[in-house]
Amino acid sequence: MATFMPPIPRVFFCFIEPALCLFGAAQPLLNPAAITALLPAHLAGRPDPTAAPTPLETLQVLMTSVMMYGWALLTLAIMFLSDGKTTRSRRLVHAYIAISASMDFPHWGAFAYALGAEGMKQWRTFPAEMWMQVLVPLLTFAVKVGYLAGVFGEDQVVAEGEDADRKRK
């Protein structure tokens, strides 16, 4: 585990972030229509509001789900395999978090692009799932930037003697 991290970011990146990604990946896998149905029919390009999502919409939702599942596994691998004993592991974790934070901007951009100006004006009518598309990444972005900025405290330095003692126990 990324033992060098302060407690709040360590818990967030080792458990909460992967769980959020797995939840986000499971929902469209279980019911792709639930995600595509969130878009009003006229914004999704469907002439009939009761029409089922197109095969392309379903494919895109499923591919996004696969990417989120992969991101969750990548997060788990990096966080649990980064033991903090080497500078390289620390750099890898910091690079991962910076990349993860930068990925939130295209997320919000895609959301705004898909809704367009007309859809964004209807923000008061967004269902909870659409608010989650905006607010959950905002929360995770704040934690990522906060960690990189040192808001939660500095990374801990594990002395070699302490590390050797921990291995013997």
Side-chain angles (χ1 to χ4, degrees), residues 22-90:
L22 288 173
F23 173 75
Q27 187 179 15
L29 280 176
L30 297 173
N31 185 5
I35 300 299
T36 57
L38 291 175
L39 280 177
H42 67 285
L43 292 177
R46 284 182 251 123
D48 179 12
T50 60
T54 65
L56 181 58
E57 287 177 304
T58 302
L59 175 66
Q60 289 174 329
V61 166
L62 292 174
M63 293 308 292
T64 301
S65 180
V66 168
M67 289 173 50
M68 288 185 71
Y69 180 73
W71 192 256
L73 294 180
L74 180 65
T75 302
L76 288 171
I78 288 174
M79 291 302 148
F80 282 97
L81 296 177
S82 299
D83 55 12
K85 290 182 242 171
T86 64
T87 305
R88 170 172 262 152
S89 294
R90 228 174 273 227

Side-chain angles (χ1 to χ4, degrees), residues 132-154:
M132 286 178 60
Q133 289 290 319
V134 176
L135 297 177
V136 170
L138 186 62
L139 170 71
T140 62
F141 180 78
V143 172
K144 294 167 192 173
V145 172
Y147 168 68
L148 292 174
V151 171
F152 300 105
E154 295 298 318

